[in-house]
Amino acid sequence: AEYNSAPARRLSRSFGLDLAGTTSSNKQALLQTVGQILASHTLYKRSPDAKFKALVCAGLNKRKLVPWLRLILRNQTVIETMYQPWSYTVSTGFDDSLKLLERLSLYVFDLPVNIAVGQFEDMAEAF
């Protein structure tokens, strides 16, 4: 029961990945980060928007945003579920946007991933 309670473990099981491995693929890094964000943000009932912002910040910090977006946008289930056939994402594959976003990997980011939960974590530590 405890094994399945952690989001990262559920994600690793769903995707058949060993999160304890020493080498980390883009998919493993994405799933670990999603698991961490879900664990911290769900505890404080943060919105999907806040979770998405945290994912973008983490992706920029790790210089993995574009590879992660590629993984997500190449997933047929995601595309069929979330986008209309005529949408920009489906019709272009989001490739031109990803090329623009790749320029951000030239910069070093240190963005707060927990900005939506930091104040709650600070309050919890105070008591």
Side-chain angles (χ1 to χ4, degrees):
E2 185 178 329
Y3 176 85
N4 286 327
S5 66
R9 289 187 185 124
R10 286 194 311 255
L11 289 167
S12 68
R13 177 181 262 178
S14 296
F15 288 89
L17 296 173
D18 176 18
L19 294 182
T22 55
T23 59
S24 180
S25 70
N26 287 329
K27 187 183 281 188
Q28 286 173 311
L30 171 61
L31 295 175
Q32 286 174 328
T33 303
V34 166
Q36 292 165 353
I37 291 168
L38 288 176
S40 65
H41 284 59
T42 302
L43 179 64
Y44 297 108
K45 298 181 177 152
R46 299 295 85 195
S47 69
D49 185 54
K51 294 172 189 172
F52 178 72
K53 289 175 184 177
L55 180 65
V56 170
C57 289
L60 288 170
N61 289 347
K62 296 178 181 187
R63 295 184 174 174
K64 297 273 187 186
L65 182 61
V66 171
W68 289 355
L69 288 173
R70 274 200 181 95
L71 279 170
I72 294 166
L73 295 171
R74 298 300 185 262
N75 183 296
Q76 198 61 36
T77 303
V78 170
I79 295 299
E80 291 172 359
T81 305
M82 305 304 291
Y83 297 96
Q84 295 294 324
W86 48 263
S87 71
Y88 168 80
T89 301
V90 172
S91 62
T92 68
F94 211 66
D95 290 330
D96 50 344
S97 296
L98 293 173
K99 285 179 188 172
L100 290 172
L101 289 171
E102 280 178 345
R103 295 179 187 172
L104 294 174
S105 67
L106 299 173
Y107 302 98
V108 176
F109 288 93
D110 187 19
L111 302 169
V113 176
N114 69 340
I115 197 150
V117 296
Q119 61 190 359
F120 299 108
E121 291 173 336
D122 292 343
M123 285 177 19
E125 289 174 9
F127 293 101

